[in-house]
Amino acid sequence: MILYATKQTIKDLNIPMVDELSQFNRMLAQKIREEQTNDRLLEWGLKIFHFDNRKCVQAVNYASKLTIFLFDIKEEEIAYIANGIAIYLMDIYQKDKTMTKILEKFFEDYPACTFPKITDRSIIASLNHNQFIFADDGYAFYEYIENGILRSKEINRKFNWKYLTTQTINGKKDYIYPAEYFRELLMHRYKSIV
């Protein structure tokens, strides 16, 4: 997967760019970019935001606008962002056995990630919109605290199953539920195993 990060996200989480990586990791990152660039299902936009004085990250899938909110991210955990996305994806589709099987294959096919700088203006606009409209710049998430615990799975389920987003499909602007559209795209990609 390619996780395109905003300039502020790179700075605040100290994400190393390709030229700062070891030779092996640099070669791996370049190979991922060569193979996966312009495969929008494998591309995600990342943007940092703050909630309860903690660094958090929003990840938006380029193809479907499926969005994952990750909370309390430490600099040393940046390498595990893709794992966090995978965990929430499995939760979002936990009742759909076909989809969890496809997701397992998807993660097996694309196990590594790299972090270039984001340039896609449409995804940047989606990240900004989600942060300010859905998340109210993080303040909306206080409603999801119960007995001192943030119900982050509920946040991610609600956004992706109940929050309509706009997406241009075949040249036409349409309103979609991101979880439904991501499922449709993955089912199409892995139609041979369903």
Side-chain angles (χ1 to χ4, degrees), residues 49 55-59 68-73 81 84-85 88:
F49 67 97
K55 293 176 183 175
C56 306
V57 172
Q58 176 193 170
I68 303 293
F69 294 96
L70 302 160
F71 298 90
D72 198 15
I73 303 296
I81 291 269
I85 292 169
Y88 282 110

Side-chain angles (χ1 to χ4, degrees), residues 102-184:
I102 288 172
L103 282 169
E104 287 171 2
K105 176 68 172 143
F106 182 65
F107 303 142
E108 181 184 313
D109 289 349
Y110 307 103
C113 67
T114 186
F115 296 90
K117 187 173 181 267
I118 194 168
T119 57
D120 187 304
R121 290 176 188 240
S122 172
I123 296 301
I124 293 169
S126 291
L127 287 161
N128 291 334
H129 178 84
N130 295 345
Q131 181 178 340
F132 295 112
I133 304 302
F134 177 79
D136 190 22
D137 205 18
Y139 291 106
F141 298 138
Y142 283 104
E143 296 174 23
Y144 294 88
I145 295 176
E146 187 176 292
N147 298 323
I149 297 173
L150 179 67
R151 298 185 322 267
S152 58
K153 290 179 179 179
E154 185 179 333
I155 291 167
N156 285 301
R157 281 187 219 124
K158 181 177 181 180
F159 181 90
N160 291 294
W161 286 113
K162 299 186 187 272
Y163 187 73
L164 282 170
T165 60
T166 58
Q167 178 78 332
T168 303
I169 302 169
N170 298 326
K172 293 181 182 177
K173 192 177 208 177
D174 201 359
Y175 290 93
I176 57 151
Y177 291 105
E180 286 180 12
Y181 193 48
F182 184 79
R183 183 185 192 281
E184 181 182 320

Side-chain angles (χ1 to χ4, degrees), residues 35-46:
E35 293 175 355
Q36 298 177 16
T37 296
N38 297 322
D39 184 343
R40 293 181 71 81
L41 198 54
L42 303 176
E43 296 177 303
W44 296 75
L46 300 181

Side-chain angles (χ1 to χ4, degrees), residues 83-100:
N83 291 354
I85 292 169
I87 288 166
Y88 282 110
L89 283 173
M90 291 300 281
D91 178 73
I92 288 167
Y93 297 102
Q94 67 180 324
K95 295 179 181 174
D96 185 338
K97 297 303 176 199
T98 303
M99 189 63 175
T100 56

